């Protein structure tokens, strides 16, 4: 048998948890095609969609016909935005001691959002590289959080009080 030197025989990448879950749904007859057929056959498609998602799938999970879905995993971009928002809010709290989340007014929320956007623009790439290179597993939460916030606070401007 001869092989073509231009091709490689690399093993295919294993499926992601969601791909494996969707394959299990398809194999059990609860996949996307079955959902579409169920909705299409219903007199009220909007109700059927809700019924499928909130009654049929949970009942199949409870009966053991399909596995429970894997936990949601944020994308790196979502993680970057969340960390930047947390850092912006922490900075706001430092500048406004005693301010409770329910006391925030639109101006405060806008300041936090602007600082979040600034952090994403200025530090997002560096933070994304850190998050990809440094898995959270095995690092105590407080230590990991400290490392992320230290990265975000390098040369960080302070959110000034709106009254100034």
């Amino acid at each position: 048998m001869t092989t073509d030197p231009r091709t490689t025989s690399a093993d295919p990448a294993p499926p992601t948890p969601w791909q494996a879950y969707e394959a299990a749904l398809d194999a059990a007859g609860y996949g996307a095609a079955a959902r579409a057929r169920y909705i299409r056959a219903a007199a009220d498609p909007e109700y059927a969609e809700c019924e499928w998602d909130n009654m049929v799938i949970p009942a199949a999970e409870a009966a053991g016909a399909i596995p429970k879905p894997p936990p949601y995993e944020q994308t790196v971009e979502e993680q970057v935005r969340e960390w930047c928002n947390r850092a912006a809010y922490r900075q706001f709290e430092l500048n406004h001691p005693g301010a409770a989340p329910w006391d925030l007014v639109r101006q405060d929320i806008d300041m936090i959002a602007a600082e979040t956007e600034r952090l994403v623009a200025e530090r997002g790439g560096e933070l994304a590289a850190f998050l990809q290179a440094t898995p959270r597993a095995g690092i105590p939460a407080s230590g990991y959080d400290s490392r992320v916030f230290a990265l975000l606070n390098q040369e960080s401007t302070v959110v000034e009080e709106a009254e100034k």
Side-chain angles (χ1 to χ4, degrees):
M1 177 176 151
T2 61
T3 59
D4 187 347
R6 295 173 292 177
T7 61
T8 61
S9 61
D11 293 333
T16 65
W18 273 102
Q19 289 170 332
Y21 174 71
E22 289 172 1
L25 290 179
D26 287 337
Y30 290 92
R35 182 178 187 271
R37 280 191 308 276
Y38 185 85
I39 293 167
R40 203 172 33 250
D44 182 352
E46 188 174 335
Y47 180 80
E49 184 177 7
C50 292
E51 187 176 46
W52 180 271
D53 294 341
N54 298 313
M55 295 171 66
V56 173
I57 292 297
E61 286 174 4
I66 59 173
K68 291 200 179 292
Y72 175 75
E73 293 184 25
Q74 288 183 314
T75 65
V76 173
E77 292 80 17
E78 290 170 327
Q79 291 176 45
V80 165
R81 182 158 300 282
E82 182 179 329
W83 279 109
C84 289
N85 185 259
R86 288 177 62 190
Y89 186 76
R90 284 174 58 138
Q91 189 63 49
F92 179 85
E93 285 181 316
L94 289 174
N95 294 336
H96 302 83
W102 52 86
D103 292 333
L104 298 180
V105 295
R106 172 55 48 196
Q107 187 176 8
D108 298 336
I109 294 167
D110 291 344
M111 282 188 345
I112 294 168
E115 180 67 2
T116 297
E117 293 305 318
R118 188 193 67 73
L119 286 170
V120 168
E122 292 179 10
R123 297 268 174 226
E126 192 177 348
L127 178 57
F130 171 80
L131 293 172
Q132 289 174 324
T134 312
R136 193 172 188 137
I139 300 174
S142 61
Y144 193 85
D145 290 4
S146 297
R147 291 169 71 180
V148 170
F149 289 130
L151 175 81
L152 288 172
N153 288 327
Q154 295 173 4
E155 302 173 16
S156 175
T157 61
V158 174
V159 176
E160 295 297 326
E161 291 188 31
E163 298 82 43
K164 291 185 180 177

